[in-house]
Amino acid sequence: MYKQFFGLSEAPFSISPNPRFFYLSRHHREALSMLKHGTQESGGFILFTGEVGTGKTVILRTMMQEILERNEMELAVIFNPALSLIELLETICHEFGIDFAEGSSKRVLLQHISDFLTENYRKGRRALLMIDEAQHLDDELIEQVRLLTNIETDNTKLLQVILVGQPELQEKFRSQHMRQISQRITARFHLLPLSLYEVDSYIRFRMQSAGCVQVIFSHGAVRELYKVSGGIPRIINVCCDRALLAAYVDNSHTVERRHMLQAVHEVMGTKGFVATVREYLASGNFLNYGMRLTCGVLLAAAVGLGTGYLFCHRNPVELKQDMVKVLKADKDIISYRESIREIKEHRAEKESIIREQTRYRTDVLNSSFEEEAWKKLQREWGFANATGNADTDCAYLKSAGFMCFSGNGSLSELERYNVPAVLSLMDVKLRPFYAVLLKLNDNYAVLLINNREWVVPRDFVAGAMEGNFRLIWPLPDGEERVSRRSSQAAQIKLFDMLNRYENTDAHAFNGYDKTMVNRVKKAQETLGLKPDGYAGIDTLWALLPYADTEHSLYEEYIASAEYENNLQTLVDSYSVNPPENAPADAPADGNGNGTGLKKNKAAEPVTESEAVREQKKNSSSANDLIIREDDLLSGADGHDAGNSKSADNGREKKGASGNDMKKSADAGGSAGTSPVAQQEASASEGLSISMDDL
């Protein structure tokens, strides 16, 4: 209905998952990259979760389209997994194009699938099974899918499985009886909703994809939509569609906040403020019938007289210009502008904190398995082909000149070894998760959690640490025993370790001579080891804290002074009383660039100016001179008149990780209304004065 009015070639906010309207937010890009990378591996499971309506299915369809275009693998997709066991196997056969007789038994169907996968492998092709809404799979079906992944050659699994579902799918795999399939999950990703800035870009992108290049949705409408939708694309689509219809009915080429509120009330089934007041007045609880009738007559008379006087004696545009000049110099109007600026800064700051909290909790949620952290630790040492199996990986590491060690102790004890380690930690709900400890000093630590580095207080790690840790340590030139027969490089590394252990540089290196033997014996006696003069595994392990490794744990400089101040403020606020809706119980993302996570500053009280009160007293028209406190506080017009920058520039913030946030106008031009359009709107609406005018 509204397509021609807004110049659209098709409806831009259809809830069907159309890949052409697929908006790639940062989280969507990460999810798509993770899925693509995961399908390059052979076999195993990939777990992809997200809240309802965040865009999981459209990511799945986008990936399917790319796979079909490249024709590089056989693909089977199940969108409705609420099936029986036989129905599941029949669906898999049908999707892979496997011929089977109706009424075939489970054994026959499994044999058909096995033969197909084997023949497919001989052709040099891979097979991928995608299951959407996988939270509906019962335990029997999940076990059967696991058994299908057991079909393998000597070194390759023949079937890759992607499970897509809602967050409860993560919880399902945490249960004890699901541990076998949990250990086979090679990649996990949890999709987050859009941020406020991404909602703005998302709307512009979809409008442009449908043929409309102008900015249609006002800032007030976008902010109202974000509050209601929480960044869920499906809710955004439904509300935007209804808001476009409301603007069309209102003959407005801009979707204003009032249109979005109307759309939200229709979609969510709620009542607007005006409707609520009318219903309350009509109920008779506030005024009796006689009083209501009298007030209605007086109000109608006042509106008629006031409007007639104003429009007969003064041109509305001229009257507005005169009033604007007076109000611009009013001290209370200036106070309004300052208050609005502070409120905007406060909101952006709080949103930044909440966004970082969400990222942290998501990273923790996706780090529940030690195997993933163990693989990340190996990648830090340069071993990219880690399997996650400790025995297999440690055998390979040993052949490469490294040793594995699993221990139990405090953070201070672990610090002695001065190499990165996998830690077992507990979150605030006492649930275990795993992280890689990359850096540590007297005040801070750097944790790698779900591929993101988090700078945290040292005390946070010490308090959350369960005690278990696992690390990799390099042998001197790859040798397990350093003696006269060892390489010169190994002997020099042992010589350097002894110098640091003895805190001296008085010796000169002359090979593994008698002096070296005596020094090794003396160190062994002090360390409680057998003094044989040869540095075996036990001796090398005891001297590890004095080794100069490629990846030393201790680092004097981790965070900038600004970051330290902000982080200390965050810790202090959490230890006393964290502000409501702005949690401070999680560490902050950063690389020493400062997070901007500071205590929320309360805005100054907002008061209505004397000039405004006087004008309201002398005017009874609803459209004469109205400056609503609620509109100002919510920033309904989307502009800060006290700031020379536009709202778009003002909304560009510094992210907590130290990286610049993308501008909200990534998917379209800058928002705004032409002066001509503003003048026409002013004339049509009487004497409506907004903060833009002031």
Side-chain angles (χ1 to χ4, degrees):
M1 183 181 296
Y2 55 73
K3 289 190 292 185
Q4 185 176 359
F5 183 76
F6 289 106
L8 300 169
S9 59
E10 57 182 307
F13 296 105
S14 172
I15 61 174
S16 60
N18 186 349
R20 196 170 76 82
F21 287 98
F22 181 32
Y23 170 73
L24 276 172
S25 71
R26 182 176 62 84
H27 294 293
H28 287 78
R29 284 195 298 270
E30 290 176 1
L32 198 55
S33 298
M34 183 275 294
L35 291 175
K36 290 179 180 178
H37 176 73
T39 55
Q40 301 305 313
E41 300 179 0
S42 59
F45 288 84
I46 297 174
L47 188 61
F48 178 36
T49 58
E51 287 292 346
V52 178
T54 49
K56 302 184 297 298
T57 301
V58 73
I59 289 177
L60 208 60
R61 290 186 181 274
T62 302
M63 186 175 174
M64 286 170 51
Q65 185 173 317
E66 293 183 5
I67 291 174
L68 294 174
E69 289 175 354
R70 292 196 299 265
N71 192 28
E72 61 181 12
M73 64 176 67
E74 297 297 331
L75 178 63
V77 184
I78 300 176
F79 287 104
N80 179 19
L83 306 168
S84 66
L85 178 57
I86 295 297
E87 289 173 338
L88 175 69
L89 296 175
E90 288 178 345
T91 304
I92 293 174
C93 289
H94 177 75
E95 288 290 320
F96 278 134
I98 303 172
D99 294 329
F100 64 95
E102 291 293 334
S104 298
S105 65
K106 171 185 172 182
R107 182 186 63 79
V108 173
L109 293 172
L110 287 174
Q111 187 61 50
H112 284 322
I113 296 173
S114 178
D115 294 342
F116 166 79
L117 294 175
T118 304
E119 180 62 26
N120 191 60
Y121 175 73
R122 289 199 188 101
K123 295 177 181 178
R125 294 173 64 83
R126 292 177 291 119
L128 175 64
L129 171 63
M130 293 182 179
I131 302 179
D132 198 7
E133 301 296 341
Q135 73 274 3
H136 297 307
L137 287 171
D138 58 32
D139 293 352
E140 181 185 13
L141 297 186
I142 293 178
E143 177 62 18
Q144 185 59 65
V145 174
R146 183 188 72 81
L147 293 175
L148 288 176
T149 63
N150 284 341
I151 303 173
E152 58 188 357
T153 63
D154 292 338
N155 55 8
T156 304
K157 289 187 178 294
L158 305 185
L159 181 64
Q160 179 92 46
V161 179
I162 297 180
L163 298 177
V164 183
Q166 296 168 18
E168 49 263 35
L169 186 60
Q170 293 254 20
E171 296 299 326
K172 181 188 285 284
F173 289 137
R174 294 180 194 278
S175 57
Q176 181 68 14
H177 70 283
M178 286 290 177
R179 62 187 182 281
Q180 284 185 303
I181 191 171
S182 294
Q183 293 172 358
R184 299 193 182 193
I185 296 175
T186 59
R188 299 166 183 266
F189 192 88
H190 185 75
L191 187 62
L192 293 176
L194 303 177
S195 67
L196 172 61
Y197 311 101
E198 290 171 332
V199 168
D200 194 1
S201 298
Y202 174 85
I203 294 173
R204 298 187 187 201
F205 170 80
R206 294 196 69 128
M207 291 293 291
Q208 288 178 352
S209 299
C212 179
V213 296
Q214 292 86 9
V215 178
I216 300 298
F217 288 79
S218 70
H219 299 302
V222 173
R223 277 192 295 272
E224 195 65 40
L225 175 61
Y226 176 70
K227 287 193 298 183
V228 173
S229 67
I232 302 296
R234 184 175 299 165
I235 300 177
I236 293 172
N237 289 344
V238 177
C239 291
C240 284
D241 181 75
R242 298 297 299 176
L244 285 172
L245 181 59
Y248 165 72
V249 173
D250 197 27
N251 199 31
S252 171
H253 284 278
T254 301
V255 177
E256 302 290 353
R257 180 171 176 264
R258 66 179 185 276
H259 301 133
M260 185 59 68
L261 285 171
Q262 179 182 340
V264 167
H265 296 322
E266 292 176 0
V267 171
M268 300 299 183
T270 58
K271 296 178 182 178
F273 174 76
V274 175
T276 303
V277 172
R278 285 175 178 170
E279 182 178 306
Y280 178 65
L281 292 175
S283 66
N285 294 327
F286 180 70
L287 293 172
N288 60 37
Y289 178 79
M291 292 180 66
R292 284 189 279 124
L293 180 60
T294 302
C295 290
V297 172
L298 292 176
L299 181 60
V303 169
L305 290 174
T307 304
Y309 175 81
L310 288 172
F311 282 90
C312 289
H313 289 77
R314 294 294 301 276
N315 182 284
V317 176
E318 294 178 356
L319 180 59
K320 175 177 176 178
Q321 292 173 349
D322 292 343
M323 289 302 302
V324 166
K325 291 179 182 179
V326 175
L327 291 173
K328 273 186 176 181
D330 187 275
K331 63 179 182 179
D332 287 334
I333 292 296
I334 296 174
S335 175
Y336 264 120
R337 290 201 296 260
E338 294 299 323
S339 298
I340 290 173
R341 186 183 299 111
E342 289 186 7
I343 290 171
K344 287 183 177 180
E345 293 174 354
H346 165 82
R347 282 178 174 168
E349 184 177 297
K350 188 166 75 169
E351 286 176 3
S352 175
I353 293 175
I354 294 174
R355 184 163 53 251
E356 289 308 302
Q357 293 286 59
T358 305
R359 287 175 180 169
Y360 171 77
R361 289 164 181 158
T362 301
D363 286 345
V364 169
L365 182 67
N366 289 331
S367 303
S368 302
F369 297 93
E370 187 178 13
E371 292 81 6
E372 290 298 314
W374 173 237
K375 287 195 288 187
K376 290 181 176 65
L377 176 62
Q378 293 178 74
R379 292 191 184 106
E380 288 295 318
W381 285 97
F383 298 101
N385 297 322
T387 66
N389 182 286
D391 295 335
T392 303
D393 290 339
C394 287
Y396 176 76
L397 290 170
K398 186 174 181 180
S399 67
F402 291 79
M403 293 294 292
C404 299
F405 179 76
S406 297
N408 186 282
S410 65
L411 183 61
S412 298
E413 293 170 333
L414 172 61
E415 183 183 12
R416 294 182 58 251
Y417 303 116
N418 199 29
V419 289
V422 173
L423 303 184
S424 174
L425 304 169
M426 300 286 282
D427 67 10
V428 293
K429 294 185 178 180
L430 302 182
R431 294 175 299 194
F433 71 99
Y434 296 89
V436 180
L437 178 64
L438 296 177
K439 296 294 179 184
L440 185 69
N441 65 16
D442 296 338
N443 298 315
Y444 302 104
V446 179
L447 295 179
L448 180 62
I449 308 175
N450 192 36
N451 295 321
R452 200 194 310 267
E453 292 185 10
W454 293 88
V455 177
V456 301
R458 178 190 176 103
D459 293 341
F460 172 84
V461 180
M465 186 174 172
E466 291 189 278
N468 298 325
F469 61 85
R470 181 182 290 179
L471 53 80
I472 300 169
W473 53 289
L475 299 169
D477 202 33
E479 299 192 29
E480 296 184 39
R481 186 172 185 267
V482 183
S483 63
R484 293 186 179 92
R485 298 181 179 180
S486 301
S487 65
Q488 186 180 35
Q491 293 177 7
I492 290 175
K493 287 194 175 184
L494 176 61
F495 175 79
D496 291 338
M497 291 165 73
L498 289 171
N499 284 348
R500 294 189 190 92
Y501 176 72
E502 297 172 357
N503 194 24
T504 181
D505 56 0
H507 302 280
F509 177 74
N510 295 310
Y512 210 104
D513 57 4
K514 187 175 181 179
T515 301
M516 177 82 88
V517 172
N518 290 333
R519 294 178 69 193
V520 171
K521 285 183 177 180
K522 183 178 179 181
Q524 288 172 332
E525 288 178 352
T526 306
L527 295 169
L529 302 173
K530 180 181 178 181
D532 55 11
Y534 300 101
I537 286 293
D538 292 339
T539 303
L540 294 176
W541 171 250
L543 292 175
L544 177 62
Y546 308 96
D548 184 17
T549 66
E550 181 182 356
H551 300 285
S552 57
L553 178 65
Y554 191 85
E555 184 173 294
E556 187 69 33
Y557 177 84
I558 288 181
S560 65
E562 178 188 1
Y563 180 83
E564 291 181 2
N565 292 335
N566 291 338
L567 187 58
Q568 186 59 50
T569 301
L570 180 64
V571 172
D572 292 343
S573 64
Y574 171 64
S575 61
V576 183
N577 282 313
E580 187 178 358
N581 297 326
D585 58 336
D589 183 14
N591 296 304
N593 299 319
T595 64
L597 301 183
K598 303 175 182 177
K599 283 185 178 179
N600 294 327
K601 181 181 179 182
E604 292 294 324
V606 180
T607 57
E608 190 176 46
S609 71
E610 184 64 31
V612 172
R613 288 197 296 271
E614 186 64 26
Q615 175 64 16
K616 283 186 177 181
K617 189 184 302 181
N618 296 329
S619 171
S620 57
S621 171
N623 288 322
D624 282 349
L625 175 57
I626 301 176
I627 302 179
R628 295 184 179 87
E629 182 175 295
D630 180 62
D631 292 337
L632 294 177
L633 295 182
S634 63
D637 293 315
H639 294 79
D640 185 352
N643 196 336
S644 61
K645 296 182 180 180
S646 68
D648 278 338
N649 292 333
R651 287 163 56 191
E652 185 178 0
K653 298 292 180 184
K654 191 76 172 176
S657 60
N659 300 320
D660 288 336
M661 297 289 292
K662 292 179 67 180
K663 290 183 179 179
S664 61
D666 280 346
S670 61
T673 309
S674 68
V676 175
Q678 287 181 349
Q679 188 172 5
E680 291 176 353
S682 176
S684 63
E685 294 183 6
L687 295 177
S688 176
I689 298 180
S690 70
M691 287 302 290
D692 285 342
D693 303 312
L694 306 180

